[in-house]
Amino acid sequence: MATRNENPAPFMAVHPGMMIKPELDERGISQKEFAKILGTQPSHLSEVLNGKRALTTELAVKIENAIGLPAKILLSAQTQYELESTVEDNQHETVALTIPVRDRNLLQELVRKFGWACVF
């Protein structure tokens, strides 16, 4: 039986480079050294790690073989990042809500967590 999460955390897609960089830091591997291990140019790897270039399937497989981060997870993160970026660029939506006075704290929490604009 599935359970309901009473305190869901907002999901924000991140570029897979944001997942790889901390792994390299944790393992004490420099970007230059990792580029050499992967057989790619340091500048190319730097662009991927900094979210300026998309992660390719080929590079994701090399990363999995080198440090064990699953290529499927990295590529899924890339796809989600691209989808969210596209939606954010092309779709802006305004929603009006009427919240009872007793629930103003809820509205303030939504503003804090999600950055929604609010008028009282």
Side-chain angles (χ1 to χ4, degrees):
M1 178 196 257
T3 59
R4 182 174 176 206
N5 184 353
E6 295 298 328
N7 296 312
F11 174 78
M12 185 177 93
V14 295
H15 191 278
M18 300 283 293
M19 299 165 69
I20 301 165
K21 278 176 104 170
E23 278 295 317
L24 297 179
D25 292 342
E26 189 69 28
R27 296 167 192 244
I29 303 172
S30 71
Q31 288 184 26
K32 189 174 182 178
E33 181 182 351
F34 195 51
K36 191 173 187 177
I37 292 168
L38 298 175
T40 190
Q41 293 294 319
S43 60
H44 177 89
L45 180 62
S46 178
E47 289 174 350
V48 171
L49 296 180
N50 291 308
K52 295 179 180 179
R53 182 185 290 248
L55 177 70
T56 64
T57 303
E58 180 183 354
L59 189 55
V61 170
K62 288 180 179 182
I63 290 169
E64 179 175 17
N65 291 334
I67 61 173
L69 284 176
K72 286 182 180 181
I73 291 174
L74 295 174
L75 291 169
S76 178
Q78 180 67 49
T79 301
Q80 290 298 320
Y81 178 78
E82 290 173 4
L83 284 170
E84 189 170 292
S85 297
T86 301
V87 169
E88 285 180 4
D89 290 344
N90 296 322
Q91 183 179 0
H92 299 281
E93 186 174 334
T94 302
V95 178
L97 298 173
T98 302
I99 306 248
V101 173
R102 68 180 180 277
D103 293 331
R104 295 289 179 174
N105 289 338
L106 169 64
L107 182 57
Q108 289 173 334
E109 183 67 13
L110 292 172
V111 170
R112 187 184 68 74
K113 280 189 174 180
F114 301 105
W116 294 353
C118 161
V119 177
F120 290 97

